[in-house]
């Protein structure tokens, strides 16, 4: 990525025309070829930009200080430099992408570590308990020694209830585990999913991600 801070004016010529008068601005030139011009406000939104694929040509001779950015449609972004205050390039490498807070795997890990938040006397059997059709997120025992299968989602919908129903059918065939009851746990549970779960004798539990991390009160709301 190339970062240029310069006093410049900018003209766009394409389906419309636009002009940015002279002012200090930040110009970003990214590895994908995109060019964007930013002011010191508006958060992430640029004043003007050219999306890839496009080409950047820096003028020489009489055109020195004039950058011309052209996209495949022939539209032009013309940046006229008056004074360059900073010019640096940085190799950022391949970005791993955004990892969202509270993804299912992390919720599973947190809940397994604090299994007692499901109820007093709960103990963990194991995470990712394998069945013939895939792993149950958490298998545990309640205070009475009964087996409980927990399916965890960020957003609880009908397909998650169906998935847990299939797990329960298989688990209840094992005499060492049966009877097995289910808990459908999610940060948000859709009304239709809650109705279906209740009809099938499955408990629904709302997970508070911050509470599981110990940031807020650690009491989960059981419905």
């Amino acid at each position: 990525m190339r970062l240029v801070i310069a006093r410049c004016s900018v003209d766009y010529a394409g389906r419309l025309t636009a002009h940015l008068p002279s002012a200090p601005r930040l110009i970003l030139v990214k590895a994908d070829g995109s060019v964007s011009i930013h002011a010191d406000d508006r958060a992430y939104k640029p004043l003007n930009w050219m999306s890839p694929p496009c080409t950047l040509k820096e003028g020489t001779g009489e055109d020195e200080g004039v950058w011309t950015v052209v996209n495949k449609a022939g539209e032009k972004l013309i940046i006229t430099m008056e004074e360059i205050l900073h010019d640096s390039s940085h190799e950022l490498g391949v970005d791993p992408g955004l990892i969202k807070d509270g993804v299912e795997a992390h919720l599973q890990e947190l809940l397994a570590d604090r299994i007692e938040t499901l109820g007093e006397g709960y103990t963990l059997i194991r995470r990712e308990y394998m069945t013939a059709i895939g792993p149950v997120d958490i298998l545990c025992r309640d205070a009475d020694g009964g087996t409980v299968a927990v399916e965890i989602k960020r957003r609880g919908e009908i397909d998650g209830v169906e998935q847990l129903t299939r797990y329960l059918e298989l688990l209840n065939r094992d005499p060492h585990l049966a009877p097995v009851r289910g808990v459908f746990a999610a940060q948000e549970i859709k009304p239709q999913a809650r109705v279906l779960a209740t009809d099938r004798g499955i408990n629904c539990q709302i997970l508070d991600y911050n509470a599981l991390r110990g940031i807020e009160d650690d009491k989960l709301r059981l419905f």
Side-chain angles (χ1 to χ4, degrees):
M1 178 183 288
R2 185 178 178 186
L3 308 175
V4 178
I5 298 175
R7 178 173 293 278
C8 63
S9 60
V10 183
D11 291 278
Y12 170 78
R15 289 167 294 180
L16 301 172
T17 58
H19 174 71
L20 292 172
S22 176
R25 297 189 176 93
L26 168 66
I27 303 166
L28 298 182
V29 183
K30 295 187 178 182
D32 63 2
S34 64
V35 178
S36 57
I37 296 96
H38 299 259
D40 198 12
D41 63 1
R42 301 161 64 96
Y44 62 89
K45 188 175 181 181
L47 297 166
N48 215 327
W49 68 95
M50 193 70 80
S51 300
C54 57
T55 58
L56 167 62
K57 180 180 178 182
E58 298 185 43
T60 57
E62 293 183 357
D63 292 329
E64 185 177 1
V66 178
W67 290 13
T68 303
V69 187
V70 184
N71 67 12
K72 63 179 181 180
E75 298 169 317
K76 293 182 179 180
L77 197 63
I78 300 170
I79 307 170
T80 303
M81 305 289 188
E82 298 173 12
E83 180 184 9
I84 294 180
L85 306 172
H86 174 86
D87 188 348
S88 63
S89 296
H90 307 270
E91 181 59 53
L92 302 185
V94 178
D95 191 90
L98 176 66
I99 300 175
K100 294 183 178 180
D101 242 5
V103 294
E104 291 167 18
H106 198 198
L107 285 169
Q108 180 194 121
E109 179 183 355
L110 289 169
L111 189 56
D113 286 343
R114 304 182 67 182
I115 198 66
E116 71 281 354
T117 57
L118 287 174
E120 187 177 350
Y122 272 66
T123 56
L124 179 68
I125 295 176
R126 67 166 297 168
R127 292 170 51 194
E128 299 287 332
Y129 187 91
M130 187 56 65
T131 74
I133 58 172
V136 176
D137 288 332
I138 289 179
L139 197 68
C140 57
R141 295 194 186 279
D142 60 22
D144 299 323
T147 309
V148 181
V150 185
E151 181 64 24
I152 299 171
K153 301 291 184 186
R154 291 188 70 234
R155 178 179 294 133
E157 300 190 34
I158 285 177
D159 57 350
V161 178
E162 295 285 6
Q163 182 181 1
L164 179 54
T165 300
R166 293 191 292 271
Y167 289 146
L168 290 171
E169 183 180 350
L170 286 174
L171 292 168
N172 274 300
R173 296 178 188 176
D174 186 339
H176 299 291
L177 297 175
V180 184
R181 63 183 182 87
V183 172
F184 189 50
Q187 290 178 288
E188 173 191 358
I189 299 177
K190 297 295 185 180
Q192 300 92 330
R194 186 182 297 277
V195 170
L196 181 61
T198 302
D199 183 68
R200 295 182 177 180
I202 295 171
N203 290 335
C204 290
Q205 181 136 358
I206 296 296
L207 298 178
D208 186 324
Y209 180 63
N210 286 331
L212 283 173
R213 293 192 298 170
I215 294 177
E216 298 176 352
D217 186 86
D218 63 355
K219 294 180 181 178
L220 298 180
R221 298 185 297 277
L222 183 62
F223 296 88

